[in-house]
Amino acid sequence: MNKTHVQKVKEFMQKAKQETPNQPRIPSETVRLLRARLIMEECLETIVALGFAIQTNSNESISMGGIKFRHMGEGDIVDAMDGIADINVVANGTAIAYGINIEPIQTLVDDSNLAKFRGDAHRDPKTTKWIK
């Protein structure tokens, strides 16, 4: 039997002596900080691989409104693929650290996203995100 991606991430975390609870719970501050740092590190590396740098306005809190993307070139496809895969690992690892079975939740989110293209789907003029 082939292991799923999530099963492999859980096995890695267990070998690394990280907590992998079987029931949903809020992890310790230490675990949450580790997860936050891993997510940020992989996202930033991927953004660079996509050919952008991040700039923040020091007068604003770091939120989407306070972040600007500066074009740095074409980026690197190999580094982008690596970054995308690493983001999946840390995102799934965060769900595991919370004791959450992410696969059925991911299915619901995927189905909800696809539902946005039924009926009167359109782009929000401000965010350009698809909405129902």
Side-chain angles (χ1 to χ4, degrees), residues 100-131:
I100 296 169
N101 178 1
I102 198 65
E103 290 170 322
I105 296 166
Q106 189 66 60
T107 297
L108 289 172
V109 170
D110 292 342
D111 292 346
S112 176
N113 284 339
L114 289 171
K116 293 176 183 177
F117 292 97
R118 294 185 201 120
D120 66 342
H122 60 282
R123 286 190 185 266
D124 180 295
K126 283 188 176 181
T127 66
T128 71
K129 291 172 84 174
W130 282 95
I131 55 176

Side-chain angles (χ1 to χ4, degrees), residues 20 61-64 86 98 121 123 130:
T20 59
S61 64
I62 297 181
S63 65
M64 285 311 294
D86 286 342
Y98 271 76
R123 286 190 185 266
W130 282 95

Side-chain angles (χ1 to χ4, degrees), residues 8-64:
K8 290 176 184 179
V9 172
K10 187 172 187 174
E11 180 180 345
F12 172 86
M13 290 174 67
Q14 289 169 338
K15 288 182 179 195
K17 307 284 190 247
Q18 295 179 23
E19 297 175 21
T20 59
N22 292 321
Q23 297 293 322
R25 65 169 176 81
I26 304 286
S28 69
E29 179 180 348
T30 302
V31 170
R32 289 181 289 131
L33 180 58
L34 170 66
R35 303 315 309 176
R37 285 182 170 159
L38 290 170
I39 289 168
M40 183 60 75
E41 177 184 338
E42 297 304 341
C43 286
L44 290 173
E45 286 177 6
T46 304
I47 289 166
V48 169
L50 297 174
F52 294 90
I54 297 244
Q55 295 177 286
T56 61
N57 181 340
S58 61
N59 297 329
E60 295 182 42
S61 64
I62 297 181
S63 65
M64 285 311 294

